[in-house]
Amino acid sequence: EVYTAAYTQLSFWQFYSESAYFRETNYNPELFVTFPVSHLYKNISLKALRVSLAHQSNGRGGAEERSWNYLHASMFFQYKTLFTELKVWQRFKDSTDYNPELIDYIGYGHIKFILPYKQHAISLLFRNNFDGKSATKINYTYPLFGKDDLFLYVKYFNGYGESLIDYNHNINKIGIGFSISR
């Protein structure tokens, strides 16, 4: 088993806008334990199980505050060069529930497929709450300047829950940027 602390920050910057500010930033610290597994069943390999305690917030106050605390569990599979993650989560109730209907829009889990090919990587994420609200995200990454810590990042998103501020709005957009990690 491997114990890890992680921090993810997702910032939405619209460089074409007159404002120099980020439109939205989501902060996501988490603690998780990963259990490596080596189990093969009909060419599908279960690679790992992960359990995590996490918080996600946009760091704003007042009416624009969005945050939640949750526990999630993931199973990671591999079939040839295709990797799959099945992830489910459960929200914790707290006294400062800024967005009680968040789960109504993002559901309780997702399935994600990752296909690396040479230096390219494509991932597809599907989420559905089975009440007409869903999300599809397609990511493409490619290393820039031959480095392994800077990537061209292209994203297509359609659905609910892309960011905390817009979790209850149906978003359809394409984004181009960079990433320091895949």
Side-chain angles (χ1 to χ4, degrees), residues 83-139:
F83 296 88
T84 304
E85 175 194 23
L86 294 173
K87 183 175 182 177
V88 295
W89 50 78
Q90 178 61 48
R91 180 180 186 163
F92 294 121
K93 288 283 188 186
D94 57 38
S95 61
T96 57
D97 201 359
Y98 297 103
N99 37 274
E101 72 283 352
L102 175 70
I103 294 298
D104 296 340
Y105 291 89
I106 66 165
Y108 290 93
H110 72 228
I111 184 166
K112 181 178 181 181
F113 301 99
I114 303 166
L115 183 62
Y117 176 73
K118 296 184 181 178
Q119 291 186 306
H120 308 270
I122 296 173
S123 68
L124 288 88
L125 180 139
F126 301 102
R127 193 173 59 227
N128 194 326
N129 74 352
F130 304 106
D131 193 22
K133 297 174 183 75
S134 62
T136 301
K137 180 168 75 170
I138 302 170
N139 290 343

Side-chain angles (χ1 to χ4, degrees), residues 136-155:
T136 301
K137 180 168 75 170
I138 302 170
N139 290 343
Y140 168 79
T141 59
Y142 184 81
L144 291 172
F145 314 114
K147 296 184 173 265
D148 62 356
D149 60 356
L150 184 62
F151 300 91
L152 168 68
Y153 179 79
V154 179
K155 176 180 82 172

